[in-house]
Amino acid sequence: MVDLKGQYDKIKNEVNIEIQNCLDNTAYINGPAVKEFQQDFEKYLNVKHVVPCANGTDALQIAMMALNLQPGDEVICPAFTYVATAEVIGLLGLKPVMVDVDPETFNINVEGLDKYITENTKAIVPVHLYGQTAEMERIMQFAKKHNLFVIEDNAQAIGADFTFENGTVKKSGTIGDIGCTSFFPSKNLGCYGDGGALMTNDDELALRIRMIANHGQEKKYYHKVLGCNSRLDTLQAAILKIKLQHLDEYSASRSKMASYYDENLKDVQNISIPQRSTNSTHVFHQYTLRVTDGSRNELQRYLTEKGIPSMVYYPLPLYKQEAFQQYVDEGFSLPVTERLCEEVISLPIHTEFNQEVSDYIISEIKNFFKS
């Protein structure tokens, strides 16, 4: 699905030098590279504070702890997303309130959200799925109307730009109260292990986030709040510092491959190519088709036989997962989410665009629908 080896080969010397520097100075925890990457990332995002942490799931959990959400509080989130988004809500004793998504953009559908509001609703978590931002201007208006916190799950859309009606442009993850991201190796900005970060423009929130991620301490051995131990390794920060310099180049390469897919697959009957939002750029963490004739699973088996990897993100709505049964009533259903779980399939897309490989994938998809 991604060519991490090819990507590494292009930046091998830069990365190896940074890794060797870490090994030489032996500052494996909170070494200089962590601060350097943090500052570089703040500049790239044009955000006041970036707080690195151990992974994207930790980032979401720390965000909710920093906002002082209490057991029983309700948090709105899409049902069509990776489990981590809702998982941390449940782990903290909060209640995930799952809502439907837009069938074209796959992001949270703002229409009708008012009906999910109760006196216990305290936050909303829009997920910028597959690489483009949710309708953040409308979400921020909705949140202001109902006095909600906004936590952006930006694990799949680092580098995407959102344009407001007045022309203001902001990076995904910097619009809500807190943004969260993951540096899992396959992400657009990925390290060589686990890693994550939170971002905010709120000084007090940033201080609280840093404390929580560091055992609740502002000063060593003096703990103001209950926290956790969530750090970005120095080695991973050193790698990310190099890869951040190439992020826009990586996004451009993914976009090029996505446009090539678009042009060659747009007229294939029974599939729908990804729709691009008018107010967000798309960094194509995933290139996701919809197979509309019910043959998605057969297509995936066919591609596997032809040596072509593919993935289904995601095969089951969160509310149908056994772990979340306690949060929904029997018979609860979201029609768009259930349809997408039956239709979506993601094709290989990565920074090392190769037209020959793309042509092979495209030709086999066309062959499948001809037969």
Side-chain angles (χ1 to χ4, degrees):
M1 293 294 287
V2 292
D3 183 7
L4 296 179
K5 180 62 165 60
Q7 185 188 78
Y8 167 67
D9 286 342
K10 287 186 176 179
I11 57 173
K12 184 174 183 177
N13 291 338
E14 300 168 82
V15 168
N16 287 359
I17 288 170
E18 287 295 330
I19 290 175
Q20 190 60 54
N21 287 340
C22 291
L23 297 175
D24 289 341
N25 65 36
T26 67
Y28 301 124
I29 302 295
N30 290 328
V34 178
K35 185 70 172 177
E36 292 165 3
F37 169 66
Q38 172 196 320
Q39 292 173 338
D40 290 349
F41 205 26
E42 287 168 347
K43 184 177 180 180
Y44 175 83
L45 294 171
N46 191 27
V47 70
K48 287 179 71 175
H49 303 282
V50 165
V51 183
C53 65
N55 55 70
T57 306
D58 276 9
L60 288 165
Q61 179 172 323
I62 292 166
M64 293 177 197
M65 293 171 70
L67 293 170
N68 202 32
L69 300 181
Q70 298 297 309
D73 287 348
E74 296 177 0
V75 180
I76 295 171
C77 67
F80 188 65
T81 184
Y82 184 59
V83 66
T85 310
E87 180 180 41
V88 296
I89 299 171
L91 281 172
L92 292 172
L94 313 172
K95 180 182 178 181
V97 177
M98 301 174 199
V99 301
D100 219 343
V101 296
D102 183 274
E104 303 298 332
T105 67
F106 309 113
N107 283 324
I108 193 168
N109 192 342
V110 186
E111 298 293 338
L113 282 183
D114 288 283
K115 68 183 180 183
Y116 294 97
I117 295 292
T118 74
E119 62 181 11
N120 296 319
T121 312
K122 297 297 190 296
I124 182 170
V125 186
V127 178
H128 305 319
L129 201 68
Y130 299 151
Q132 64 183 340
T133 58
E135 290 284 346
M136 285 307 298
E137 186 160 16
R138 296 179 66 194
I139 287 169
M140 295 305 292
Q141 292 167 351
F142 171 81
K144 184 177 180 179
K145 174 183 175 182
H146 295 287
N147 195 29
L148 306 179
F149 294 116
V150 178
I151 303 167
E152 293 177 72
D153 186 334
N154 196 36
Q156 298 188 18
I158 278 294
D161 291 321
F162 183 86
T163 303
F164 290 80
E165 286 187 4
N166 66 5
T168 300
V169 179
K170 291 186 178 182
K171 289 289 186 187
S172 59
T174 70
I175 302 168
D177 295 284
I178 303 175
C180 303
T181 197
S182 164
F183 301 128
F184 188 78
S186 64
K187 302 299 185 189
N188 291 37
L189 179 61
C191 55
Y192 296 162
D194 265 323
L198 302 94
M199 56 281 302
T200 185
N201 284 301
D202 187 307
D203 296 339
E204 290 186 13
L205 263 182
L207 178 62
R208 187 169 174 83
I209 288 167
R210 288 193 182 95
M211 283 196 299
I212 290 171
N214 188 28
H215 294 292
Q217 60 187 347
E218 187 176 8
K219 178 182 177 183
K220 196 170 180 67
Y221 300 129
Y222 292 85
H223 307 270
K224 285 191 172 183
V225 297
L226 291 177
C228 58
N229 177 28
S230 187
R231 296 179 291 226
L232 179 66
D233 286 344
T234 305
L235 282 165
Q236 302 300 343
I239 293 161
L240 288 165
K241 187 174 66 166
I242 296 299
K243 294 186 74 174
L244 178 60
Q245 299 170 20
H246 299 272
L247 180 56
D248 287 342
E249 169 195 333
Y250 294 160
S251 297
S253 183
R254 286 174 176 269
S255 182
K256 180 180 178 181
M257 192 169 184
S259 295
Y260 194 74
Y261 276 143
D262 284 352
E263 183 62 28
N264 288 277
L265 293 174
K266 64 182 181 181
D267 296 324
V268 178
Q269 208 168 19
N270 299 320
I271 65 173
S272 175
I273 63 174
Q275 299 300 303
R276 308 192 191 202
S277 174
T278 56
N279 51 10
S280 172
T281 59
H282 202 318
V283 296
F284 283 99
H285 175 60
Q286 302 295 345
Y287 184 87
T288 303
L289 300 172
R290 288 175 55 197
V291 181
T292 58
D293 68 345
S295 65
R296 191 270 312 275
N297 294 343
E298 289 79 1
L299 172 61
Q300 186 172 39
R301 284 193 289 269
Y302 177 83
L303 293 177
T304 300
E305 291 170 1
K306 299 298 180 179
I308 299 170
S310 64
M311 290 291 290
V312 173
Y313 307 107
Y314 300 93
L316 193 66
L318 287 182
Y319 56 83
K320 287 193 173 183
Q321 300 283 356
E322 186 175 349
F324 294 102
Q325 292 306 293
Q326 62 184 301
Y327 302 111
V328 293
D329 296 329
E330 187 175 353
F332 179 79
S333 176
L334 297 172
V336 175
T337 292
E338 296 196 13
R339 187 164 79 247
L340 292 178
C341 287
E342 297 286 336
E343 292 181 348
V344 296
I345 185 169
S346 297
L347 304 180
I349 189 165
H350 44 74
T351 58
E352 312 312 303
F353 174 66
N354 182 311
Q355 185 169 325
E356 183 179 355
V357 171
S358 300
D359 284 340
Y360 175 66
I361 295 170
I362 290 163
S363 68
E364 289 302 338
I365 291 173
K366 288 180 175 179
N367 286 340
F368 172 81
F369 285 104
K370 284 178 184 175
S371 57

